[in-house]
Amino acid sequence: MFAGLKSLKPKDASETLSRRIDLVMLMCLLSAGPATLFYILTKFTSYQSPLLFLIQVASLYCACYATRIRSRELLAANFSKRIQTTSRRLRRLGAGLFELWLLVCIDVIFLPSNMSPVLWLKTHTDWLNNADGGTVAWVPHIEIDRGEHLWSGPSQIDADLAAFAGHADRKEYFMAREVAMDLRSRNLRYLDISMQVIPRIWAHNADMAGANFSFARLYGSVFVNTTLNGANFNMASFDGATFMNIDLSSTDFVQTRMKGSMWDNVTVKNTSFVNSDLSLASFFNVSFDQVEFLTTALQATSMYEVKGGTLTFAAREPFKIMSLTESDSWPNGSNSPFQVNPKAALESLREYLCKPTLTPDWAYAWGLFIQTKLLIARSEPEVTKAMQEFMSTKACEGLPDRGFKEDALGILAAAAKDKTE
């Protein structure tokens, strides 16, 4: 490595290095620094930090430039033209592949999802999919190993958690529930958390386009201003989840469980719901365009100012729903796939709700559903009354009410008084 350094002459043939070994050792010494920096770059690129990415790329380019200059000097002084030509071609090939990969990294880290060629390829082709429905390894993204447990669940009961959160009444615990994972404002494009159980993800302003949620259980999660285009929701469970201020495009829900989910100011376009479950879901100011509901359950749903264009339904009979308010452009009349009947809608779900212990998916779905209904109980007294009667039946006495029975009585009384006046 040092041109002016005089080495001792070998005493015999066993101490003499061949030209081939000398070349291999030289290449190892010259490439050690860039190789180490490249390994660090590939590891940290998955976290998609723009500043860290720029610093690491600049460091790698400086190291590669120094290695290139030094290798030229050493090869020219000690090796034949053939070896120099071969080395130059290999270097150019490696540099070309590296720069192509850098373009992919720039797309993932810096470009918005609506301008991303990589996301378009991921959404419209299978070229970037791996065997698990996620994304190929050379596209920067975080992939959680299936055997790693990210969440073990709360050990306290609702009353203890409510007190810890500053709420004396455990019925208020639902509104102050703990968060399993805080992903706010994170760039997590192509995140792979398939088969994980992580209830209550908090993903405000996060970019999770192209993420792999297949077979995951993300009960009660909150997605506000979240980018979810092209995400894989196959066989996932988002029961009791909240979706607000989101544009969903080219995102299919295949056998996805979204019971009791709340959708507020959401635009859904070029999307299919195939054999999914949207029972107890609430839709506020949601726009559906070019959407297919194929063998998808919409029992006991509530719709407020919902718009629909180019919709396809595959149902044997109309869905019994809780309400259909100011949704004039939604299919109605004799061709409507919905029948507004709160009592019949709740009765259709009795076998799932009126049980000694609710399963986790129905518990999250029912919890958000009754809290949502309590917030708007004054504007829909018929629905509130139907829910009171349903929960008062003997078979459903043990159904958690989160304070709904007590608070709704006062709301109904106030509504009756206003109507009388």
PDB file of all heavy atoms in Angstrom, residues 37-38 41-42 53 56-57 60-61 64 91-105:
ATOM      1  N   LEU A  37     -18.516   0.538   4.262  1.00  0.00           N
ATOM      2  CA  LEU A  37     -19.462   1.653   4.160  1.00  0.00           C
ATOM      3  C   LEU A  37     -20.709   1.252   3.371  1.00  0.00           C
ATOM      4  O   LEU A  37     -21.819   1.686   3.695  1.00  0.00           O
ATOM      5  CB  LEU A  37     -18.790   2.845   3.496  1.00  0.00           C
ATOM      6  CG  LEU A  37     -17.716   3.558   4.340  1.00  0.00           C
ATOM      7  CD1 LEU A  37     -17.003   4.607   3.519  1.00  0.00           C
ATOM      8  CD2 LEU A  37     -18.340   4.188   5.575  1.00  0.00           C
ATOM      9  N   PHE A  38     -20.531   0.422   2.345  1.00  0.00           N
ATOM     10  CA  PHE A  38     -21.682  -0.043   1.571  1.00  0.00           C
ATOM     11  C   PHE A  38     -22.585  -0.930   2.426  1.00  0.00           C
ATOM     12  O   PHE A  38     -23.819  -0.834   2.351  1.00  0.00           O
ATOM     13  CB  PHE A  38     -21.200  -0.810   0.336  1.00  0.00           C
ATOM     14  CG  PHE A  38     -22.310  -1.386  -0.483  1.00  0.00           C
ATOM     15  CD1 PHE A  38     -23.119  -0.569  -1.259  1.00  0.00           C
ATOM     16  CD2 PHE A  38     -22.573  -2.754  -0.471  1.00  0.00           C
ATOM     17  CE1 PHE A  38     -24.164  -1.100  -2.007  1.00  0.00           C
ATOM     18  CE2 PHE A  38     -23.607  -3.294  -1.213  1.00  0.00           C
ATOM     19  CZ  PHE A  38     -24.403  -2.457  -1.986  1.00  0.00           C
ATOM     20  N   LEU A  41     -24.527   1.311   4.670  1.00  0.00           N
ATOM     21  CA  LEU A  41     -25.544   2.032   3.891  1.00  0.00           C
ATOM     22  C   LEU A  41     -26.772   1.163   3.646  1.00  0.00           C
ATOM     23  O   LEU A  41     -27.907   1.601   3.832  1.00  0.00           O
ATOM     24  CB  LEU A  41     -24.936   2.485   2.564  1.00  0.00           C
ATOM     25  CG  LEU A  41     -25.910   3.091   1.551  1.00  0.00           C
ATOM     26  CD1 LEU A  41     -26.495   4.388   2.087  1.00  0.00           C
ATOM     27  CD2 LEU A  41     -25.223   3.329   0.214  1.00  0.00           C
ATOM     28  N   THR A  42     -26.558  -0.074   3.232  1.00  0.00           N
ATOM     29  CA  THR A  42     -27.694  -0.957   2.948  1.00  0.00           C
ATOM     30  C   THR A  42     -28.498  -1.272   4.206  1.00  0.00           C
ATOM     31  O   THR A  42     -29.717  -1.450   4.136  1.00  0.00           O
ATOM     32  CB  THR A  42     -27.210  -2.262   2.306  1.00  0.00           C
ATOM     33  OG1 THR A  42     -26.238  -2.891   3.161  1.00  0.00           O
ATOM     34  CG2 THR A  42     -26.587  -1.995   0.944  1.00  0.00           C
ATOM     35  N   PHE A  53     -29.178   8.999   4.867  1.00  0.00           N
ATOM     36  CA  PHE A  53     -28.892   8.414   3.553  1.00  0.00           C
ATOM     37  C   PHE A  53     -27.896   9.273   2.777  1.00  0.00           C
ATOM     38  O   PHE A  53     -26.930   8.760   2.196  1.00  0.00           O
ATOM     39  CB  PHE A  53     -30.197   8.272   2.774  1.00  0.00           C
ATOM     40  CG  PHE A  53     -30.023   7.800   1.362  1.00  0.00           C
ATOM     41  CD1 PHE A  53     -29.745   6.478   1.082  1.00  0.00           C
ATOM     42  CD2 PHE A  53     -30.137   8.698   0.301  1.00  0.00           C
ATOM     43  CE1 PHE A  53     -29.576   6.040  -0.229  1.00  0.00           C
ATOM     44  CE2 PHE A  53     -29.970   8.276  -1.003  1.00  0.00           C
ATOM     45  CZ  PHE A  53     -29.692   6.942  -1.267  1.00  0.00           C
ATOM     46  N   GLN A  56     -24.320   9.014   4.283  1.00  0.00           N
ATOM     47  CA  GLN A  56     -23.680   7.725   4.016  1.00  0.00           C
ATOM     48  C   GLN A  56     -23.284   7.571   2.548  1.00  0.00           C
ATOM     49  O   GLN A  56     -22.218   7.022   2.238  1.00  0.00           O
ATOM     50  CB  GLN A  56     -24.619   6.594   4.451  1.00  0.00           C
ATOM     51  CG  GLN A  56     -24.784   6.523   5.959  1.00  0.00           C
ATOM     52  CD  GLN A  56     -25.820   5.504   6.373  1.00  0.00           C
ATOM     53  OE1 GLN A  56     -26.682   5.130   5.587  1.00  0.00           O
ATOM     54  NE2 GLN A  56     -25.752   5.054   7.615  1.00  0.00           N
ATOM     55  N   VAL A  57     -24.117   8.069   1.631  1.00  0.00           N
ATOM     56  CA  VAL A  57     -23.772   8.001   0.209  1.00  0.00           C
ATOM     57  C   VAL A  57     -22.555   8.876  -0.088  1.00  0.00           C
ATOM     58  O   VAL A  57     -21.650   8.474  -0.842  1.00  0.00           O
ATOM     59  CB  VAL A  57     -24.973   8.425  -0.659  1.00  0.00           C
ATOM     60  CG1 VAL A  57     -24.557   8.585  -2.123  1.00  0.00           C
ATOM     61  CG2 VAL A  57     -26.085   7.389  -0.554  1.00  0.00           C
ATOM     62  N   LEU A  60     -19.475   7.105   1.146  1.00  0.00           N
ATOM     63  CA  LEU A  60     -19.127   5.979   0.293  1.00  0.00           C
ATOM     64  C   LEU A  60     -18.485   6.441  -1.012  1.00  0.00           C
ATOM     65  O   LEU A  60     -17.510   5.847  -1.485  1.00  0.00           O
ATOM     66  CB  LEU A  60     -20.382   5.153   0.014  1.00  0.00           C
ATOM     67  CG  LEU A  60     -20.200   3.911  -0.868  1.00  0.00           C
ATOM     68  CD1 LEU A  60     -19.156   2.969  -0.271  1.00  0.00           C
ATOM     69  CD2 LEU A  60     -21.534   3.187  -1.047  1.00  0.00           C
ATOM     70  N   TYR A  61     -18.999   7.504  -1.587  1.00  0.00           N
ATOM     71  CA  TYR A  61     -18.416   8.007  -2.830  1.00  0.00           C
ATOM     72  C   TYR A  61     -16.991   8.514  -2.614  1.00  0.00           C
ATOM     73  O   TYR A  61     -16.109   8.313  -3.467  1.00  0.00           O
ATOM     74  CB  TYR A  61     -19.293   9.114  -3.411  1.00  0.00           C
ATOM     75  CG  TYR A  61     -20.225   8.622  -4.495  1.00  0.00           C
ATOM     76  CD1 TYR A  61     -21.577   8.376  -4.241  1.00  0.00           C
ATOM     77  CD2 TYR A  61     -19.761   8.378  -5.780  1.00  0.00           C
ATOM     78  CE1 TYR A  61     -22.424   7.910  -5.219  1.00  0.00           C
ATOM     79  CE2 TYR A  61     -20.598   7.910  -6.777  1.00  0.00           C
ATOM     80  CZ  TYR A  61     -21.928   7.682  -6.495  1.00  0.00           C
ATOM     81  OH  TYR A  61     -22.764   7.205  -7.481  1.00  0.00           O
ATOM     82  N   CYS A  64     -14.813   5.427  -2.366  1.00  0.00           N
ATOM     83  CA  CYS A  64     -14.658   4.782  -3.673  1.00  0.00           C
ATOM     84  C   CYS A  64     -13.721   5.581  -4.576  1.00  0.00           C
ATOM     85  O   CYS A  64     -12.926   5.003  -5.339  1.00  0.00           O
ATOM     86  CB  CYS A  64     -16.019   4.623  -4.336  1.00  0.00           C
ATOM     87  SG  CYS A  64     -17.081   3.383  -3.555  1.00  0.00           S
ATOM     88  N   ARG A  91     -15.082  -2.759 -12.264  1.00  0.00           N
ATOM     89  CA  ARG A  91     -15.408  -1.552 -11.495  1.00  0.00           C
ATOM     90  C   ARG A  91     -16.597  -0.817 -12.111  1.00  0.00           C
ATOM     91  O   ARG A  91     -17.493  -0.337 -11.405  1.00  0.00           O
ATOM     92  CB  ARG A  91     -14.179  -0.640 -11.442  1.00  0.00           C
ATOM     93  CG  ARG A  91     -14.384   0.594 -10.565  1.00  0.00           C
ATOM     94  CD  ARG A  91     -13.108   1.405 -10.411  1.00  0.00           C
ATOM     95  NE  ARG A  91     -12.695   1.992 -11.687  1.00  0.00           N
ATOM     96  CZ  ARG A  91     -11.601   1.647 -12.351  1.00  0.00           C
ATOM     97  NH1 ARG A  91     -10.809   0.694 -11.870  1.00  0.00           N
ATOM     98  NH2 ARG A  91     -11.283   2.226 -13.493  1.00  0.00           N
ATOM     99  N   ARG A  92     -16.614  -0.711 -13.450  1.00  0.00           N
ATOM    100  CA  ARG A  92     -17.720  -0.036 -14.115  1.00  0.00           C
ATOM    101  C   ARG A  92     -19.031  -0.803 -13.949  1.00  0.00           C
ATOM    102  O   ARG A  92     -20.093  -0.197 -13.764  1.00  0.00           O
ATOM    103  CB  ARG A  92     -17.390   0.126 -15.601  1.00  0.00           C
ATOM    104  CG  ARG A  92     -16.306   1.173 -15.874  1.00  0.00           C
ATOM    105  CD  ARG A  92     -15.967   1.241 -17.352  1.00  0.00           C
ATOM    106  NE  ARG A  92     -14.951   2.253 -17.615  1.00  0.00           N
ATOM    107  CZ  ARG A  92     -14.409   2.462 -18.812  1.00  0.00           C
ATOM    108  NH1 ARG A  92     -14.786   1.713 -19.851  1.00  0.00           N
ATOM    109  NH2 ARG A  92     -13.496   3.403 -18.971  1.00  0.00           N
ATOM    110  N   LEU A  93     -18.953  -2.129 -14.011  1.00  0.00           N
ATOM    111  CA  LEU A  93     -20.155  -2.937 -13.806  1.00  0.00           C
ATOM    112  C   LEU A  93     -20.710  -2.744 -12.400  1.00  0.00           C
ATOM    113  O   LEU A  93     -21.917  -2.540 -12.210  1.00  0.00           O
ATOM    114  CB  LEU A  93     -19.837  -4.417 -14.053  1.00  0.00           C
ATOM    115  CG  LEU A  93     -20.987  -5.406 -13.791  1.00  0.00           C
ATOM    116  CD1 LEU A  93     -22.169  -5.116 -14.717  1.00  0.00           C
ATOM    117  CD2 LEU A  93     -20.510  -6.847 -13.959  1.00  0.00           C
ATOM    118  N   GLY A  94     -19.815  -2.804 -11.403  1.00  0.00           N
ATOM    119  CA  GLY A  94     -20.256  -2.596 -10.021  1.00  0.00           C
ATOM    120  C   GLY A  94     -20.828  -1.215  -9.803  1.00  0.00           C
ATOM    121  O   GLY A  94     -21.859  -1.048  -9.122  1.00  0.00           O
ATOM    122  N   ALA A  95     -20.174  -0.190 -10.398  1.00  0.00           N
ATOM    123  CA  ALA A  95     -20.668   1.181 -10.246  1.00  0.00           C
ATOM    124  C   ALA A  95     -22.033   1.351 -10.905  1.00  0.00           C
ATOM    125  O   ALA A  95     -22.913   2.033 -10.365  1.00  0.00           O
ATOM    126  CB  ALA A  95     -19.661   2.164 -10.844  1.00  0.00           C
ATOM    127  N   GLY A  96     -22.247   0.711 -12.065  1.00  0.00           N
ATOM    128  CA  GLY A  96     -23.536   0.814 -12.735  1.00  0.00           C
ATOM    129  C   GLY A  96     -24.661   0.190 -11.934  1.00  0.00           C
ATOM    130  O   GLY A  96     -25.742   0.780 -11.792  1.00  0.00           O
ATOM    131  N   LEU A  97     -24.414  -1.006 -11.387  1.00  0.00           N
ATOM    132  CA  LEU A  97     -25.438  -1.666 -10.563  1.00  0.00           C
ATOM    133  C   LEU A  97     -25.727  -0.858  -9.300  1.00  0.00           C
ATOM    134  O   LEU A  97     -26.889  -0.727  -8.883  1.00  0.00           O
ATOM    135  CB  LEU A  97     -24.974  -3.077 -10.196  1.00  0.00           C
ATOM    136  CG  LEU A  97     -24.863  -4.070 -11.355  1.00  0.00           C
ATOM    137  CD1 LEU A  97     -24.263  -5.388 -10.854  1.00  0.00           C
ATOM    138  CD2 LEU A  97     -26.220  -4.311 -11.996  1.00  0.00           C
ATOM    139  N   PHE A  98     -24.676  -0.309  -8.701  1.00  0.00           N
ATOM    140  CA  PHE A  98     -24.856   0.484  -7.486  1.00  0.00           C
ATOM    141  C   PHE A  98     -25.682   1.739  -7.764  1.00  0.00           C
ATOM    142  O   PHE A  98     -26.569   2.098  -6.980  1.00  0.00           O
ATOM    143  CB  PHE A  98     -23.487   0.868  -6.922  1.00  0.00           C
ATOM    144  CG  PHE A  98     -23.562   1.808  -5.750  1.00  0.00           C
ATOM    145  CD1 PHE A  98     -24.071   1.396  -4.535  1.00  0.00           C
ATOM    146  CD2 PHE A  98     -23.116   3.113  -5.874  1.00  0.00           C
ATOM    147  CE1 PHE A  98     -24.146   2.256  -3.451  1.00  0.00           C
ATOM    148  CE2 PHE A  98     -23.187   3.982  -4.796  1.00  0.00           C
ATOM    149  CZ  PHE A  98     -23.701   3.555  -3.577  1.00  0.00           C
ATOM    150  N   GLU A  99     -25.433   2.403  -8.893  1.00  0.00           N
ATOM    151  CA  GLU A  99     -26.176   3.614  -9.207  1.00  0.00           C
ATOM    152  C   GLU A  99     -27.630   3.307  -9.543  1.00  0.00           C
ATOM    153  O   GLU A  99     -28.525   4.103  -9.238  1.00  0.00           O
ATOM    154  CB  GLU A  99     -25.492   4.352 -10.354  1.00  0.00           C
ATOM    155  CG  GLU A  99     -24.179   5.002  -9.909  1.00  0.00           C
ATOM    156  CD  GLU A  99     -23.380   5.558 -11.071  1.00  0.00           C
ATOM    157  OE1 GLU A  99     -23.816   5.382 -12.240  1.00  0.00           O
ATOM    158  OE2 GLU A  99     -22.313   6.164 -10.817  1.00  0.00           O
ATOM    159  N   LEU A 100     -27.899   2.159 -10.149  1.00  0.00           N
ATOM    160  CA  LEU A 100     -29.286   1.755 -10.365  1.00  0.00           C
ATOM    161  C   LEU A 100     -29.998   1.538  -9.033  1.00  0.00           C
ATOM    162  O   LEU A 100     -31.164   1.925  -8.861  1.00  0.00           O
ATOM    163  CB  LEU A 100     -29.337   0.475 -11.207  1.00  0.00           C
ATOM    164  CG  LEU A 100     -28.994   0.617 -12.691  1.00  0.00           C
ATOM    165  CD1 LEU A 100     -28.980  -0.756 -13.358  1.00  0.00           C
ATOM    166  CD2 LEU A 100     -29.999   1.531 -13.397  1.00  0.00           C
ATOM    167  N   TRP A 101     -29.315   0.918  -8.097  1.00  0.00           N
ATOM    168  CA  TRP A 101     -29.901   0.716  -6.771  1.00  0.00           C
ATOM    169  C   TRP A 101     -30.127   2.050  -6.065  1.00  0.00           C
ATOM    170  O   TRP A 101     -31.129   2.228  -5.366  1.00  0.00           O
ATOM    171  CB  TRP A 101     -28.987  -0.184  -5.937  1.00  0.00           C
ATOM    172  CG  TRP A 101     -29.498  -0.439  -4.555  1.00  0.00           C
ATOM    173  CD1 TRP A 101     -30.530  -1.252  -4.191  1.00  0.00           C
ATOM    174  CD2 TRP A 101     -29.013   0.147  -3.341  1.00  0.00           C
ATOM    175  NE1 TRP A 101     -30.714  -1.218  -2.830  1.00  0.00           N
ATOM    176  CE2 TRP A 101     -29.792  -0.368  -2.277  1.00  0.00           C
ATOM    177  CE3 TRP A 101     -27.988   1.040  -3.049  1.00  0.00           C
ATOM    178  CZ2 TRP A 101     -29.581  -0.008  -0.953  1.00  0.00           C
ATOM    179  CZ3 TRP A 101     -27.773   1.397  -1.731  1.00  0.00           C
ATOM    180  CH2 TRP A 101     -28.560   0.874  -0.700  1.00  0.00           C
ATOM    181  N   LEU A 102     -29.201   3.000  -6.258  1.00  0.00           N
ATOM    182  CA  LEU A 102     -29.381   4.328  -5.663  1.00  0.00           C
ATOM    183  C   LEU A 102     -30.639   5.003  -6.199  1.00  0.00           C
ATOM    184  O   LEU A 102     -31.341   5.700  -5.459  1.00  0.00           O
ATOM    185  CB  LEU A 102     -28.165   5.211  -5.943  1.00  0.00           C
ATOM    186  CG  LEU A 102     -26.929   5.010  -5.069  1.00  0.00           C
ATOM    187  CD1 LEU A 102     -25.872   6.047  -5.414  1.00  0.00           C
ATOM    188  CD2 LEU A 102     -27.275   5.089  -3.587  1.00  0.00           C
ATOM    189  N   LEU A 103     -30.945   4.801  -7.486  1.00  0.00           N
ATOM    190  CA  LEU A 103     -32.171   5.376  -8.048  1.00  0.00           C
ATOM    191  C   LEU A 103     -33.404   4.815  -7.353  1.00  0.00           C
ATOM    192  O   LEU A 103     -34.374   5.541  -7.083  1.00  0.00           O
ATOM    193  CB  LEU A 103     -32.229   5.104  -9.550  1.00  0.00           C
ATOM    194  CG  LEU A 103     -31.213   5.854 -10.424  1.00  0.00           C
ATOM    195  CD1 LEU A 103     -31.353   5.424 -11.879  1.00  0.00           C
ATOM    196  CD2 LEU A 103     -31.399   7.360 -10.295  1.00  0.00           C
ATOM    197  N   VAL A 104     -33.377   3.507  -7.056  1.00  0.00           N
ATOM    198  CA  VAL A 104     -34.493   2.897  -6.323  1.00  0.00           C
ATOM    199  C   VAL A 104     -34.600   3.509  -4.925  1.00  0.00           C
ATOM    200  O   VAL A 104     -35.699   3.828  -4.451  1.00  0.00           O
ATOM    201  CB  VAL A 104     -34.304   1.370  -6.231  1.00  0.00           C
ATOM    202  CG1 VAL A 104     -35.389   0.746  -5.355  1.00  0.00           C
ATOM    203  CG2 VAL A 104     -34.326   0.743  -7.615  1.00  0.00           C
ATOM    204  N   CYS A 105     -33.460   3.698  -4.259  1.00  0.00           N
ATOM    205  CA  CYS A 105     -33.462   4.294  -2.913  1.00  0.00           C
ATOM    206  C   CYS A 105     -34.001   5.716  -2.944  1.00  0.00           C
ATOM    207  O   CYS A 105     -34.776   6.127  -2.063  1.00  0.00           O
ATOM    208  CB  CYS A 105     -32.046   4.292  -2.336  1.00  0.00           C
ATOM    209  SG  CYS A 105     -31.367   2.652  -2.052  1.00  0.00           S
TER     210      CYS A 105
END
